[in-house]
Amino acid sequence: MKIALVTGANRGIGLAVARRLARDGIHVVVAARSDDAGRAAADLLRSEGGRASSVRLDVTDPEQARAAAAVVAQQLGRLDVLVNNAGVLPEATARPAEVVDAGLFRATYDTNVLGPVVVTEAFLPLLRRSPAGRIVNVSSRMGSLADQQDPASPYYSTVVPAYQSSKAALNGLTVALAKALADTPIKVTSVCPGFVQTDLAPIAREQAPLTADAAAEVVHRAATLSGSAPSGTFVDAVGPVPW
């Protein structure tokens, strides 16, 4: 039985990914900042016939990440899939005085960049125990430098510097990890789930065309890559995304 951990798995895309993985018979560890929220999501997965447990994990807290990894090691022994899903977009509701705001950058990078680093560092020893470890970094086309410079892109007119640059940095982490782990069975992928109906931003809940369940499919594909698939790619539901 494979074991997967999904950060921010108590709602939105994270919960949809957890449910999709559970339908494959994978034991899903729901990682959430709130114990109650994590347990409720794990209970839901079990009520649907899945195997699930939960751990408390604020991705900005290295101590919590290490403690969560210790729990998974003790209870399950290894990890096969890590989905770095937790993300924030403070610029959706804040009104900075200038185009760039250092406070918003810090808040965004703490979760969107340092969060995956903290969690990956804590769980990498358990992923190394897997015969086919997979790391999925949930990114965005708004982190594509090529896309941001393309007037034909639907995201060209969107300017949220902290969020966009945080996802570009996350993509850089994907490439670096793929290279560093090239001599192991672990594969690393950046995934853009699309414009999804979530609580990430008010406009997403009101105008996004994709449900979380639909968006979970591309994340699921990256989490279950075959052994012959390349590592270090950036993809969405259609295919490769330009860096």
Side-chain angles (χ1 to χ4, degrees):
M1 180 180 61
K2 289 185 178 181
I3 301 153
L5 182 138
V6 183
T7 64
N10 57 294
R11 62 177 183 171
I13 295 173
L15 178 57
V17 169
R19 296 174 81 177
R20 182 65 184 84
L21 292 169
R23 288 205 300 273
D24 277 357
I26 296 172
H27 181 109
V28 178
V29 181
V30 173
R33 288 182 296 175
S34 160
D35 278 330
D36 288 343
R39 283 193 290 265
D43 287 344
L44 173 64
L45 298 183
R46 288 192 292 269
S47 74
E48 296 174 343
R51 296 181 175 90
S53 56
S54 65
V55 291
R56 183 184 178 199
L57 178 53
D58 179 338
V59 301
T60 68
D61 187 333
E63 186 175 338
Q64 279 194 21
R66 289 190 291 269
V71 169
V72 173
Q74 181 181 26
Q75 294 182 352
L76 300 167
R78 72 174 193 284
L79 189 66
D80 300 290
V81 179
L82 171 61
V83 180
N84 286 311
N85 163 74
V88 296
L89 177 50
E91 288 159 301
T93 53
R95 294 293 179 265
E98 260 303 349
V99 173
V100 290
D101 181 300
L104 289 178
F105 266 74
R106 290 189 186 97
T108 304
Y109 273 57
D110 274 352
T111 296
N112 294 4
V113 182
L114 294 177
V117 171
V118 164
V119 174
T120 301
E121 179 184 18
F123 283 92
L124 196 50
L126 295 181
L127 284 162
R128 291 184 185 276
R129 298 179 187 178
S130 171
R134 301 290 181 263
I135 299 173
V136 183
N137 292 324
V138 178
S139 185
S140 168
R141 285 198 79 117
M142 287 199 285
S144 164
L145 300 182
D147 219 52
Q148 286 302 307
Q149 297 179 80
D150 180 5
S153 166
Y155 302 109
Y156 180 75
S157 62
T158 302
V159 181
V160 281
Y163 183 79
Q164 289 164 326
S165 61
S166 76
K167 292 303 186 180
L170 181 62
N171 289 343
L173 175 64
T174 292
V175 173
L177 283 172
K179 292 165 67 176
L181 298 170
D183 61 346
T184 77
I186 300 172
K187 295 182 185 294
V188 192
T189 309
S190 274
V191 170
C192 172
F195 189 20
V196 187
Q197 298 162 13
T198 69
D199 294 326
L200 185 68
I203 191 174
R205 179 60 66 188
E206 297 163 3
Q207 300 181 21
L210 290 176
T211 65
D213 287 341
E217 289 300 321
V218 65
V219 181
H220 173 266
R221 288 202 296 270
T224 56
L225 281 180
S226 71
S228 60
S231 184
T233 62
F234 183 20
V235 299
D236 64 10
V238 177
V241 176
W243 297 107

